[in-house]
Amino acid sequence: QVQLVESGGGLVQAGGSLRLSCAASGRSLFYYRMGWFRRAPGKEREFVATISHSGGNTDYADSVKGRFTISRDNAKNTVYLQMNSLKPEDTAVYFCAADPQANRGRGDFTYWGQGTQVTVSS
């Protein structure tokens, strides 16, 4: 079983950037497909981005495509979410997720972190 801890959230002005990190322990991230999700106040949790085990394949929500980049460093057991050109509507708690299966739906993950708050001011 893998444990996930997110970091890097904070307060940033619109147009700014943040990089979120998700550090894993308990098992190598090599065995997991990874994803980022977010939950805005009063809304359901939504998919943001996912990356395959090797890092060769990525997928993004339309709302973040071209602004956010997911990446992974399996040697460091860490997954990242680089967020550029941030907008107030990106304000949310961001969650990291892991799943050992490659072929599940992009919203289907087994293991979840506790989340990190991102607030974008206008």
Side-chain angles (χ1 to χ4, degrees), residues 30-52:
F30 172 79
Y31 294 101
Y32 298 93
R33 174 175 57 98
M34 300 298 297
W36 285 97
F37 292 75
R38 66 187 183 187
R39 185 172 62 231
K43 295 187 177 181
E44 297 291 319
R45 186 173 63 197
E46 66 173 354
F47 166 79
V48 174
T50 187
I51 188 167
S52 61

Side-chain angles (χ1 to χ4, degrees), residues 12-78:
V12 64
Q13 288 188 332
S17 298
L18 281 175
R19 188 177 80 156
L20 305 183
S21 298
C22 173
S25 61
R27 200 172 186 217
S28 170
L29 274 186
F30 172 79
Y31 294 101
Y32 298 93
R33 174 175 57 98
M34 300 298 297
W36 285 97
F37 292 75
R38 66 187 183 187
R39 185 172 62 231
K43 295 187 177 181
E44 297 291 319
R45 186 173 63 197
E46 66 173 354
F47 166 79
V48 174
T50 187
I51 188 167
S52 61
H53 292 70
S54 66
N57 292 303
T58 58
D59 187 23
Y60 296 91
D62 288 343
S63 59
V64 307
K65 201 170 292 184
R67 299 188 298 122
F68 290 10
T69 302
I70 188 172
S71 61
R72 65 191 298 160
D73 186 336
N74 287 341
K76 294 184 178 180
N77 242 24
T78 302

Side-chain angles (χ1 to χ4, degrees), residues 10-18 38 67-68 83 85-92 94 117-122:
L11 174 64
V12 64
Q13 288 188 332
S17 298
L18 281 175
R38 66 187 183 187
R67 299 188 298 122
F68 290 10
M83 306 186 296
S85 302
L86 282 161
K87 305 175 181 179
E89 50 264 44
D90 294 318
T91 295
Y94 283 73
Q117 176 70 47
V118 172
T119 303
V120 184
S121 63
S122 57

Side-chain angles (χ1 to χ4, degrees), residues 88-101:
E89 50 264 44
D90 294 318
T91 295
V93 178
Y94 283 73
F95 299 88
C96 174
D99 195 88
Q101 297 187 42

